[in-house]
Amino acid sequence: PARLFSPTLNPGLLQIPRYLSLLCIIVGLAWLLVLPLDEYSRRTYISENALLPGQVNTYFGGTEHTVFRAYRFEVAALEHQPGPVVADKLGSIFKEQGLKIGRQKYNYTTAGRSVSGENVYGVIQGPRADATEAMVLVAAWRNMKGELNQSGVALALTLARYFKRWSLWSKDIFVVIPEDSTAGIQAWVDAYHDMHPSSSVENLPIKGGALQGGLAIDYPAGVGGHRFETLDIIYDGVNGQLPNLDLINTLVLIAQNQVGIRCRIQKSTDDDWYSNRLETVMRGMVGQGVGRPTGPHSSFMPYHVHAITLKTAGNGWHDEISLGKVVESGFRSINNLLEHLHQSFFFYILIDNDRFVSIATYLPSAMLIAVSFTLTCIVLWWESGQPDPPPNPASTESPAKGSSSEKQTGDDKMEVIQQDGMLAVVPEKMLHTLERNLFAPVALLGAAYFLGLCIFFIFNATDENRMSQTFYAVSTFSSAIPLATGSLLKRIGTRQILLMNCLSLLLLGAMLATLSTLNYSLGFFTGLAASPLSFTHLLLSKNPPAPNSPTNDNKINNSKGNPRPSKETTTLSATSYLLLLAISPPAMIQLFSALSHSPVRNLLLEASAAWTIHGTYTALVVWVVWWPAWFVGAATVGAALAGG
């Protein structure tokens, strides 16, 4: 029947999208929780047959062990030497090995501080190569923790000498030793692809063909050496980009089946329990969502160069020879490639080193949360165009002074509706949609996004010594400005507030849906944190505005004769505002700081450096996607709290 599907004649129909919105959030979260189960994951496999992992004999060892120990002593002697001295020594070693040598200086400025250094690299020209393809071996001078990568650099130098003697290479090999694990390798990769800022990064004197793949070594054992138990496969790239799954599967297969080294994904354990799998999934999602570099390999991802970092962990019986064999066999597999890695997955969640979840399985969870905002948007758009309901003739309460109900006369046009042999008389205005005035909602929403953009640039322009003070100033501003805006919203009317929320949720849902396809984890976590914003507009009905003025503007005021909100509704609005403050972006940053045991100042400095050097857009999403939507929701609650 027409009445059943008409929101005008059946107001209860409008409650369905709200319940569906809540259901989408619950199902989206539950969807994530079932991903670690075997029914929703798959075993890993090699898609590119040309890789032939573990099908070759490795010969690294014997006298190479003596060479490695000699190089490790030379690296240890340079630990406290300045950068130019280290670069000179590494360059002389490459020259003695017969490699072409390149050096590159860089100097970035971020948060008022200078990040500078010098990269050194050598080039092994493949005897069967035509300079159209290349591979990369990276050993940063200092790893992500700032430790001297003594054994890692020594092993890279040893492998360079070892690879130089082989005549089987069909691709050139670049052996790169950047000064650090983030800025240095980023400068090198950018310059290799001619995408570097010439004012802060020098050109590369020697280049090669298209990079097909790369491996980075993180082995900080000192002169005394250290036998390790497992290899951590670190694969997260900048902005959550991931290498082709074939590369990870190849190295895992080589390490475990050919060399006998157990591999770990996201520090996973041997216990194959649901809780351990879920913990591995969450660690991977957090790392991907943060989007900052996790090793030297991360800088290659934006250029579609597949790379991972091999990091030693634990105490065991494996040594540098075992790691060298893994790298040798890995390069032999990459050397077999006839084309760029493309057959396996680029979007996945690893549960263990032998199980993964594909994008077709995990993406719906984030999309459901994004859809929840769109469903609420549909309801708000409908409500913003509907006239106020007529007064109840049976009501014993007198209408508020100055309201449209008080001024309503018998001259209102009525319309007769006939359905199923029955007649009904309803006001004509109830059957028509009111014209929506979009100027004020669009202007306020644009101002919210402009404020978020200003906050983003303020953090990137703030000196490192003032970063903490700036954060607390922004936190105070974020806590107070919605209340002040709520007082202003009283003057534009409930319909305008509903329209502003409608447009805000529409943009938020669209942006999160797009973001989730690029960085699933960031889109999912942002949507989950913003999910309460779908229900803030309900406080306007809990704390209703004053009846319409003669201009039908539905202004919120407390002029004489209009009822003030009850104590219960005021308490509900105040509690809702406090809850919104608890899930605000500044509060979530402080929570992440506590969970990661890293001061807020350090997190903000890392975010600023990641944006300036690597182009990481996580902070941009926080302040220009999430914060404006949160601000609109908090301002709506502020309007209800201010005496809606």
Side-chain angles (χ1 to χ4, degrees):
R3 173 180 169 80
L4 183 62
F5 299 102
S6 173
T8 302
L9 302 178
N10 186 7
L13 191 64
L14 291 175
Q15 301 303 321
I16 296 179
R18 293 192 174 103
Y19 291 127
L20 288 178
S21 177
L22 179 61
L23 182 63
C24 285
I25 297 172
I26 296 174
V27 173
L29 181 58
W31 197 300
L32 173 67
L33 297 179
V34 302
L35 292 181
L37 300 177
D38 286 343
E39 292 79 1
Y40 299 93
S41 61
R42 305 163 61 181
R43 296 193 66 87
T44 57
Y45 57 92
I46 303 295
S47 298
E48 179 57 72
N49 294 325
L51 286 169
L52 298 175
Q55 300 299 309
V56 297
N57 294 323
T58 55
Y59 301 98
F60 184 78
T63 58
E64 304 303 328
H65 193 192
T66 304
V67 175
F68 166 82
R69 295 178 62 184
Y71 281 143
R72 187 164 60 184
F73 274 106
E74 294 194 48
V75 171
L78 298 171
E79 180 175 5
H80 302 291
Q81 297 296 325
V85 175
V86 174
D88 290 340
K89 180 61 178 178
L90 295 176
S92 65
I93 293 176
F94 281 138
K95 187 175 182 179
E96 291 172 359
Q97 295 175 349
L99 276 62
K100 292 185 177 180
I101 309 167
R103 296 173 63 167
Q104 176 202 34
K105 294 182 179 180
Y106 60 91
N107 186 1
Y108 295 101
T109 301
T110 172
R113 57 176 179 167
S114 177
V115 180
S116 59
E118 186 173 6
N119 300 323
V120 183
Y121 65 98
V123 183
I124 303 174
Q125 291 182 311
R128 302 181 181 182
D130 56 359
T132 58
E133 295 179 335
M135 303 176 287
V136 184
L137 175 62
V138 183
W141 184 252
R142 295 193 178 274
N143 63 12
M144 293 295 294
K145 294 182 179 180
E147 303 169 329
L148 180 62
N149 191 16
Q150 287 191 26
S151 295
V153 174
L155 182 58
L157 295 174
T158 307
L159 287 169
R161 178 179 179 274
Y162 175 74
F163 288 164
K164 176 67 176 177
R165 304 201 309 262
W166 285 85
S167 61
L168 52 84
W169 304 114
S170 61
K171 297 175 177 60
D172 296 334
I173 301 177
F174 285 79
V175 183
V176 186
I177 303 180
E179 191 160 331
D180 63 14
S181 295
T182 54
I185 191 62
Q186 185 68 50
W188 189 88
V189 176
D190 287 344
Y192 191 92
H193 295 89
D194 294 323
M195 297 296 292
H196 60 293
S198 57
S199 59
S200 55
V201 177
E202 292 182 349
N203 296 325
L204 293 182
I206 305 175
K207 295 182 182 180
L211 299 178
Q212 298 298 304
L215 298 176
I217 303 173
D218 186 355
Y219 188 20
V223 174
H226 177 262
R227 293 182 178 271
F228 59 92
E229 179 184 9
T230 61
L231 272 182
D232 282 344
I233 307 295
I234 305 175
Y235 56 90
D236 295 312
V238 174
N239 291 322
Q241 293 177 301
L242 303 174
N244 189 276
L245 188 56
D246 267 348
L247 181 63
I248 298 177
N249 295 339
T250 297
L251 268 298
V252 169
L253 193 150
I254 291 172
Q256 295 192 157
N257 294 0
Q258 186 176 12
V259 184
I261 306 176
R262 187 176 71 85
C263 295
R264 297 193 308 178
I265 299 295
Q266 303 293 345
K267 301 180 180 179
S268 59
T269 63
D270 290 330
D271 298 327
D272 195 24
W273 297 346
Y274 170 81
S275 58
N276 293 330
R277 285 187 172 190
L278 181 61
E279 188 177 353
T280 302
V281 170
M282 295 307 297
R283 275 197 294 260
M285 290 182 61
V286 169
Q288 184 185 38
V290 171
R292 64 189 178 193
T294 56
H297 67 282
S298 298
S299 299
F300 291 90
M301 303 301 177
Y303 297 98
H304 304 289
V305 179
H306 310 287
I308 61 175
T309 293
L310 304 176
K311 178 179 174 60
T312 59
N315 299 310
W317 59 275
H318 297 289
D319 60 3
E320 53 275 357
I321 298 302
S322 300
L323 181 57
K325 289 182 177 180
V326 173
V327 176
E328 177 192 358
S329 187
F331 269 85
R332 293 283 295 275
S333 292
I334 299 175
N335 188 63
N336 291 336
L337 287 175
L338 301 177
E339 53 187 344
H340 210 66
L341 284 172
H342 67 282
Q343 291 194 24
S344 191
F345 294 88
F346 293 92
F347 300 95
Y348 50 85
I349 295 177
L350 284 175
I351 297 178
D352 204 344
N353 52 36
D354 60 350
R355 298 199 73 88
F356 76 102
V357 180
S358 67
I359 184 173
T361 304
Y362 68 72
L363 188 59
S365 60
M367 289 301 177
L368 283 171
I369 294 179
V371 167
S372 69
F373 299 110
T374 306
L375 290 173
T376 304
C377 169
I378 294 173
V379 176
L380 294 178
W381 180 259
W382 176 269
E383 290 183 341
S384 65
Q386 296 307 300
D388 295 327
N392 185 1
S395 175
T396 59
E397 297 182 3
S398 59
K401 183 179 179 181
S403 70
S404 60
S405 300
E406 181 190 46
K407 298 180 180 181
Q408 185 176 2
T409 67
D411 297 333
D412 288 344
K413 294 183 179 180
M414 309 296 287
E415 185 167 331
V416 178
I417 299 178
Q418 182 176 3
Q419 179 180 323
D420 298 333
M422 296 181 291
L423 298 177
V425 181
V426 298
E428 184 181 6
K429 66 178 184 179
M430 296 297 297
L431 302 177
H432 300 282
T433 301
L434 297 178
E435 182 179 357
R436 298 176 177 88
N437 184 5
L438 295 176
F439 177 77
V442 170
L444 289 172
L445 187 60
Y449 278 92
F450 177 75
L451 282 176
L453 190 62
C454 289
I455 294 174
F456 171 73
F457 281 112
I458 286 173
F459 278 121
N460 286 315
T462 300
D463 186 86
E464 61 176 332
N465 297 323
R466 300 179 181 177
M467 191 64 76
S468 297
Q469 296 90 325
T470 302
F471 174 76
Y472 291 116
V474 169
S475 300
T476 304
F477 173 80
S478 296
S479 302
I481 191 63
L483 287 177
T485 307
S487 301
L488 176 64
L489 291 180
K490 292 192 300 182
R491 302 183 179 183
I492 69 172
T494 302
R495 291 194 184 92
Q496 306 298 308
I497 300 176
L498 293 177
L499 274 174
M500 183 176 65
N501 278 269
C502 172
L503 298 177
S504 174
L505 294 179
L506 178 64
L507 287 175
L508 180 62
M511 288 187 289
L512 290 181
T514 304
L515 177 63
S516 297
T517 61
L518 302 175
N519 188 334
Y520 161 77
S521 302
L522 183 57
F524 180 87
F525 287 134
T526 304
L528 192 62
S531 57
L533 302 179
S534 294
F535 310 100
T536 55
H537 68 279
L538 296 176
L539 291 173
L540 294 177
S541 59
K542 294 289 184 181
N543 196 3
N548 287 354
S549 65
T551 59
N552 209 18
D553 196 28
N554 204 22
K555 292 184 179 179
I556 304 176
N557 58 68
N558 281 307
S559 58
K560 185 176 180 180
N562 287 339
R564 297 191 62 84
S566 65
K567 182 178 180 180
E568 291 77 10
T569 55
T570 301
T571 302
L572 178 61
S573 299
T575 303
S576 300
Y577 192 78
L578 292 177
L579 290 176
L580 283 179
L581 290 180
I583 62 169
S584 65
M588 291 293 100
I589 291 175
Q590 290 179 309
L591 177 62
F592 185 78
S593 171
L595 295 177
S596 61
H597 305 290
S598 179
V600 172
R601 174 180 176 273
N602 291 353
L603 291 180
L604 296 175
L605 289 175
E606 290 176 2
S608 177
W611 167 258
T612 304
I613 300 174
H614 306 281
T616 302
Y617 53 65
T618 303
L620 186 68
V621 171
V622 170
W623 298 114
V624 186
V625 175
W626 179 16
W627 189 89
W630 175 88
F631 169 79
V632 171
T636 301
V637 178
L641 187 61

